[in-house]
Amino acid sequence: MSGDSVVCTNWTDCVPDSIHLDLGVASDNCTPEDALYYHYDWWLDAAPQMLHTGLGNRLFDILPAGTIHIRLYAQDLCGNRDTGYQQITIRDCKPPVPYCHTELITVVMDSTGQIDIPAAVFNAGSYDNCTPQEALRFSFTKDGTTPSRVFDCQDIPNGKEVILNIQMWVFDEGGNADFCQTRLRLQDNSGNLCRDSSTDLMVQGNVHTVQGEGVEEVTMLAMESGLRDTTG
């Protein structure tokens, strides 16, 4: 009899469907293999008192999600019988369907210069075949360990506004996940907590020696962020 295994399902509405399982074969020193008699029974780990039975060594039944225990009985023409056992786990493997808001706009807070944003705020109606919407989990990362993220001035290079590409991951109760792509428009507020920078400033003028004579082809190097080099 085959060993313990996991059987994946992709039930559309989480309604159990028929499952075919080969339970294994036996051999005998007197009875041909095709003359051996098989029957089986199975029960749910959550309901051991409810025994289901069937003939043959191939299980064909509607199995719900969870842990299933199976006993296979093989008997030869002399009445000798042996038993095999296996345990299988039926699990939902269908990932959730993620839906994101196209873009969200927010500002850094006056008091701290940062804002803590839950991944769930980008959710626009994600759903799953088995897990209720209120039980879905959300994360900024594929590993599911970032349900929220702190954004601050370091995320706004120009100190005014930035558009960030965001992945919102959705997880169901079975650990299946998928994501959608969205955007966060992060702005500095009227308190101007984030230092502004500009690439539009230019230093112009003439360079003279201490004697007042003009100097040509001089390269000027800006030492402060926000200024750019120019030649005069």
Side-chain angles (χ1 to χ4, degrees):
M1 195 170 181
S2 56
D4 298 349
S5 59
V6 175
V7 177
C8 271
T9 66
N10 287 281
W11 300 324
T12 302
D13 298 314
C14 207
V15 177
D17 200 356
S18 297
I19 293 178
H20 299 256
L21 290 175
D22 289 318
L23 302 180
V25 294
S27 61
D28 187 76
N29 59 350
C30 294
T31 302
E33 186 174 302
D34 59 359
L36 292 171
Y37 170 76
Y38 296 96
H39 71 281
Y40 62 85
D41 53 41
W42 66 267
W43 65 96
L44 282 168
D45 192 52
Q49 72 280 4
M50 295 181 62
L51 198 65
H52 307 260
T53 62
L55 297 177
N57 60 345
R58 181 175 174 82
L59 189 154
F60 175 59
D61 212 333
I62 296 177
L63 302 181
T67 301
I68 310 291
H69 303 268
I70 306 170
R71 276 194 304 248
L72 176 66
Y73 305 90
Q75 184 172 314
D76 64 16
L77 295 177
C78 297
N80 301 307
R81 190 173 76 162
D82 200 2
T83 306
Y85 168 83
Q86 72 168 313
Q87 175 180 300
I88 64 171
T89 300
I90 310 291
R91 68 177 300 266
D92 166 44
C93 296
K94 187 178 179 64
V97 179
Y99 279 103
C100 287
H101 292 293
T102 303
E103 180 179 287
L104 293 181
I105 302 174
T106 190
V107 298
V108 294
M109 301 300 292
D110 283 336
S111 58
T112 62
Q114 61 184 26
I115 184 168
D116 191 356
I117 300 179
V121 302
F122 293 95
N123 178 40
S126 304
Y127 66 91
D128 184 66
N129 61 325
C130 290
T131 302
Q133 287 184 306
E134 62 272 15
L136 292 173
R137 296 187 299 109
F138 301 90
S139 175
F140 286 110
T141 52
K142 185 178 181 179
D143 60 9
T145 61
T146 317
S148 65
R149 178 181 163 188
V150 175
F151 296 87
D152 56 26
C153 291
Q154 292 185 4
D155 295 298
I156 311 177
N158 65 8
K160 299 175 182 177
E161 179 183 83
V162 68
I163 297 177
L164 301 172
N165 291 321
I166 299 292
Q167 286 185 351
M168 183 197 74
W169 284 85
V170 189
F171 294 81
D172 66 14
E173 291 177 325
N176 306 300
D178 202 354
F179 74 95
C180 51
Q181 195 79 29
T182 181
R183 296 190 304 269
L184 173 65
R185 187 183 295 267
L186 185 63
Q187 301 173 335
D188 190 7
N189 60 9
S190 57
N192 196 27
L193 291 175
C194 304
R195 181 178 179 182
D196 295 348
S197 64
S198 174
T199 58
D200 299 326
L201 299 178
M202 180 180 291
V203 176
Q204 291 181 322
N206 298 318
V207 178
H208 296 82
T209 66
V210 292
Q211 288 79 23
E213 297 179 355
V215 181
E216 297 181 355
E217 302 296 328
V218 175
T219 298
M220 303 294 293
L221 179 63
M223 301 303 293
E224 182 176 350
S225 175
L227 301 179
R228 72 183 185 193
D229 297 349
T230 184
T231 300

